[in-house]
Amino acid sequence: MDLRKGPWTVEEDLVLMNYIGSHGEGKWNSLARCAGLRRTGKSCRLRWMNYLRPDVRRGNITPEEQLLILELHSRWGNRWSKIAQRLPGRTDNEIKNYWRTRVQKHARHLRCDVNSKQFKDVMRYMWMPRLVERIRAASGSSATCVHQNVAAPSTREWPAEGSVELGQAKTSPDDSEMQLSSASESDDCFANRMQGCENGCDDWFQEADFTACWPQPLPSPGVCADDLGSLDLDGCGWEESLWSIEDVRGE
DNA sequence: AACGTAATCAACCGCAGCCGT
DNA sequence: TACGGCTGCGGTTGATTACGT
């Protein structure tokens, strides 16, 4: 049987949904055969998981979700499926796409490797506090619990096995994770730093936001790591509390 | 309006791990 | 133990859409 590739048609979607509705998911190869779909089992699974599943959330990634993605990626790296488990309704594919299109784009603009410590610091000490402010502004003080776990850390904690949840950003020690701790004076510093970076745009990730806040001229391509090593956030006291992923990761 | 470029996202591919035989 | 099939994951591609000139 010749297998179909490419975009799914409405008819194929209906066949797949109806079949799973009456037989359940799993055993994707036989499912594809029995349902009469000229698709591979992998293709059926992907279509279901990323698009047809009833609990798939569609629409823009919210600031809360953005915050969580940044946070979880800082711990787990490109473990998309694992990250997706913490964002109900979001798929690993969606998160992966988000990361590649939004986050990596800005790393490129900063001429910085997305995995470099410098870039992670920018995320943690600039973007994430800014996101927290946005969340807080949108929901009054209800984002405090998120805020407390994203602000520049002054202590490290290792809570009991748990998980990061939206609105309750606990972390767990599995995977040699770190704990982001309570808000500190560094956060105020960032709040100040972020002043003047407002552009009124919904997209917190607007390039102007952080390039304007970048404390030094951007380095030339190819010299990212070394040059950014001299990054100076002038007098915020952030260096004392600088949290290093490498410090606490056993990975 | 037409064209080129950038951004987005659905889907495919290769690989690794698991499990049954 | 070796093998094969299945599943899930992460990386990549390509089509479509949005945007700028």
Side-chain angles (χ1 to χ4, degrees):
Chain A
M1 184 163 58
D2 55 327
L3 290 173
R4 272 181 53 79
K5 285 187 180 181
W8 280 63
T9 65
V10 175
E11 289 76 19
E12 287 177 312
D13 283 347
L14 285 172
V15 169
L16 182 57
M17 283 192 292
N18 288 335
Y19 190 89
I20 291 177
S22 51
H23 297 87
E25 56 182 277
K27 300 186 182 302
W28 295 103
N29 282 333
S30 63
L31 183 152
R33 278 194 306 273
C34 296
L37 288 162
R38 289 153 54 195
R39 297 276 182 171
T40 65
K42 287 174 74 169
S43 182
C44 292
R45 176 187 166 273
L46 201 68
R47 184 64 177 171
W48 174 255
M49 301 296 276
N50 287 345
Y51 197 83
L52 297 176
R53 224 174 31 173
D55 60 334
V56 169
R57 281 182 66 190
R58 316 216 59 86
N60 292 336
I61 305 280
T62 66
E64 287 90 346
E65 289 172 322
Q66 293 173 10
L67 188 60
L68 201 48
I69 291 169
L70 295 180
E71 158 65 15
L72 295 176
H73 187 276
S74 74
R75 283 189 227 157
W76 296 331
N78 299 352
R79 302 284 302 279
W80 307 118
S81 63
K82 189 169 183 173
I83 293 171
Q85 287 171 6
R86 304 295 174 88
L87 286 100
R90 298 296 185 184
T91 68
D92 54 352
N93 211 32
E94 193 172 14
I95 294 168
K96 181 170 55 181
N97 282 331
Y98 167 76
W99 185 265
R100 294 186 63 82
T101 58
R102 312 286 180 81
V103 180
Q104 288 196 347
K105 179 183 78 176
H106 291 292
R108 282 198 305 273
H109 286 177
L110 290 171
R111 292 168 181 154
C112 185
D113 186 280
V114 74
N115 292 316
S116 68
K117 183 175 180 302
Q118 288 74 26
F119 184 73
K120 289 173 180 173
D121 285 344
V122 169
M123 279 196 296
R124 180 158 303 278
Y125 298 115
M126 289 185 167
W127 299 347
M128 291 169 77
R130 178 168 168 74
L131 269 175
V132 169
E133 288 303 316
R134 284 195 57 202
I135 295 167
R136 182 191 282 162
S139 61
S141 59
S142 62
T144 301
C145 54
V146 174
H147 167 265
Q148 286 178 339
N149 288 282
V150 172
S154 56
T155 62
R156 291 172 187 158
E157 301 171 39
W158 299 95
E161 175 72 26
S163 62
V164 172
E165 303 290 351
L166 286 175
Q168 189 180 7
K170 292 190 301 184
T171 57
S172 65
D174 64 315
D175 307 302
S176 303
E177 293 159 0
M178 78 302 169
Q179 163 69 18
L180 298 170
S181 66
S182 59
S184 69
E185 68 281 356
S186 303
D187 193 37
D188 293 334
C189 168
F190 276 107
N192 293 336
R193 182 172 295 281
M194 283 303 167
Q195 284 180 357
C197 295
E198 285 292 345
N199 60 7
C201 177
D202 271 350
D203 184 4
W204 69 280
F205 235 41
Q206 286 292 309
E207 181 182 2
D209 280 351
F210 52 86
T211 53
C213 296
W214 195 262
Q216 289 184 344
L218 293 173
S220 301
V223 295
C224 168
D226 288 345
D227 284 5
L228 288 174
S230 61
L231 181 67
D232 178 18
L233 295 180
D234 55 45
C236 293
W238 66 282
E239 287 139 307
E240 289 82 356
S241 60
L242 182 64
W243 165 80
S244 165
I245 294 162
E246 290 74 16
D247 283 348
V248 295
R249 257 196 189 157
E251 297 171 350

